[in-house]
Amino acid sequence: MTARSTRCTTAKTRTSRLAAVAAIAVAGSVLLTACGDQTEGGSTPTKGAGTASTNAAPLFSKLPADIQKAGVIKVGTDASYAPMEFTENGKIVGVDPDIAQALGKQLGVEFKFTSGTFDGLITSIYTGRQDLIMSSMTDNKKRQEGLDDNGKKIGKGIDFVDYFSSGVSLLVKKGNPQNINSLGDLCGKTVAVQRGTIYEDTFKAQATKCGANKLTIQAFDTDAEAQTRVKAGGAVADLNDYPVAAYIAKTSGGGNDFEVVGSQSDVGLFGIGVSKENTQLRDAVKEALDAIIKDGTYAEALKKWDVEDSAVKSATVNAGK
């Protein structure tokens, strides 16, 4: 799979998802340290609360009554993952907020983003603090079933409306001084990665394959810290979703800090996370996603960020493996 996994000591399971701009993040921006707490907010401008008879949005009536009344869908994210979601001039922007804006027009409510650390996002669904997760989160069976890395049940699990497809790629220092072209080239070396992500899982699996030729893994709270480690030469590679890795390589240091090496692997689905107990919201979001795929606004959002190759052809539920 791709994308970030949950990250917090209470719910480690994106993976798959940089500061406002990757270059700034790598330079050392400190961002979003509270696990699941509100740190940055952003909204998509859509119509507010109303009733099915007063709200003209085509899918407003599909929403649960409490969300219709509130006029808001609360969305948890980790806005440190450009171009998917990041903070710019105090506002959360990126692929996911733009898709959310299109969904909001179909549903007739505001998608209100709140940023916290990635590994607290699933917990925020369990507690009801957030209605949805949009944070480049990989849809996989572990998250669907609420399992930890060892297969132990630690939560109810969540459902996913799958909206984006991506593989993972290695990010190395510009010029690739260690000649890294695949995971197999990492044996005997040190890598850096964001803690609690599927990328960390991928490195752990590779460490097992390396055996006595030990692969050392340094895990950090944010991907920006992992990038800084690679840039400084303390680690030979970071691992990230291809759109994110490509964006970092293009923007950090004016394109002079990093490069992407090797081919994409482990192509999987990002999903919009929702409580298993809120199937009405899940189904409304799925219908809205199909609507924006059909009317072209979904494609426009992806084109804006140069990630058209990651488009899905239709909305699916829990299609991740």
Side-chain angles (χ1 to χ4, degrees):
M1 292 308 108
T2 56
R4 301 177 287 188
S5 73
T6 54
R7 312 164 196 154
C8 206
T9 54
T10 58
K12 287 189 178 180
T13 56
R14 134 197 188 203
T15 35
S16 304
R17 265 112 62 207
L18 316 169
V21 175
I24 298 175
V26 173
S29 295
V30 177
L31 139 19
L32 311 174
T33 57
C35 188
D37 289 342
Q38 293 189 5
T39 53
E40 297 284 352
S43 305
T44 60
T46 58
K47 297 180 181 179
T51 65
S53 60
T54 62
N55 192 304
L59 298 178
F60 181 76
S61 64
K62 302 285 187 175
L63 290 168
D66 59 335
I67 290 180
Q68 290 186 26
K69 182 177 180 180
V72 170
I73 291 178
K74 298 175 292 183
V75 184
T77 195
D78 174 359
S80 61
Y81 210 59
M84 297 303 296
E85 52 271 321
F86 60 105
T87 304
E88 186 174 71
N89 298 323
K91 182 180 179 181
I92 297 173
V93 299
V95 178
D96 282 354
D98 283 356
I99 291 174
Q101 182 175 22
L103 293 173
K105 289 178 180 178
Q106 289 290 324
L107 294 167
V109 293
E110 175 188 5
F111 278 57
K112 184 174 178 59
F113 280 73
T114 298
S115 185
T117 54
F118 189 82
D119 58 3
L121 295 179
I122 288 181
T123 299
S124 75
I125 294 292
Y126 290 162
T127 62
R129 188 167 66 249
Q130 306 295 348
D131 301 311
L132 298 177
I133 296 168
M134 288 190 73
S135 195
S136 308
M137 182 173 283
T138 296
D139 173 9
N140 58 35
K141 297 300 181 184
K142 184 170 63 176
R143 291 190 176 117
Q144 292 173 22
E145 298 172 9
L147 306 177
D148 66 10
D149 290 340
N150 298 313
K152 180 181 178 181
K153 188 78 171 177
I154 58 172
K156 304 172 186 176
I158 60 175
D159 284 340
F160 290 96
V161 178
D162 302 311
Y163 69 101
F164 195 86
S165 175
S166 176
V168 297
S169 295
L170 288 164
L171 187 71
V172 302
K173 193 171 182 178
K174 188 74 172 183
N176 195 10
Q178 297 295 318
N179 195 29
I180 304 298
N181 293 294
S182 68
L183 289 171
D185 295 332
L186 300 175
C187 295
K189 297 180 171 60
T190 298
V191 295
V193 69
Q194 185 175 14
R195 183 178 293 109
T197 65
I198 59 161
Y199 315 125
E200 184 180 17
D201 293 343
T202 298
F203 278 154
K204 287 179 179 178
Q206 182 59 40
T208 299
K209 295 178 183 178
C210 290
N213 192 13
K214 186 179 179 182
L215 170 61
T216 301
I217 302 169
Q218 297 180 346
F220 298 90
D221 286 339
T222 69
D223 191 56
E225 293 173 285
Q227 293 169 43
T228 299
R229 190 66 173 161
V230 173
K231 182 181 177 182
V236 300
D238 182 17
L239 188 66
N240 224 314
D241 294 301
Y242 175 75
V244 177
Y247 184 86
I248 296 166
K250 180 180 179 180
T251 60
S252 182
N256 295 313
D257 290 341
F258 302 104
E259 64 183 82
V260 177
V261 297
S263 58
Q264 291 189 56
S265 60
D266 295 335
V267 176
L269 294 167
F270 292 176
I272 300 171
V274 59
S275 170
K276 285 186 173 294
E277 298 172 354
N278 203 343
T279 56
Q280 185 176 358
L281 177 58
R282 179 199 69 194
D283 293 346
V285 171
K286 178 182 182 297
E287 191 169 347
L289 179 57
D290 275 326
I292 65 173
I293 291 173
K294 184 177 180 179
D295 71 16
T297 52
Y298 169 79
E300 289 174 5
L302 270 57
K303 183 177 181 179
K304 175 181 175 180
W305 298 100
D306 298 321
V307 292
E308 302 100 308
D309 289 346
S310 292
V312 296
K313 295 182 178 179
S314 63
T316 53
V317 173
N318 295 335
K321 299 179 180 180

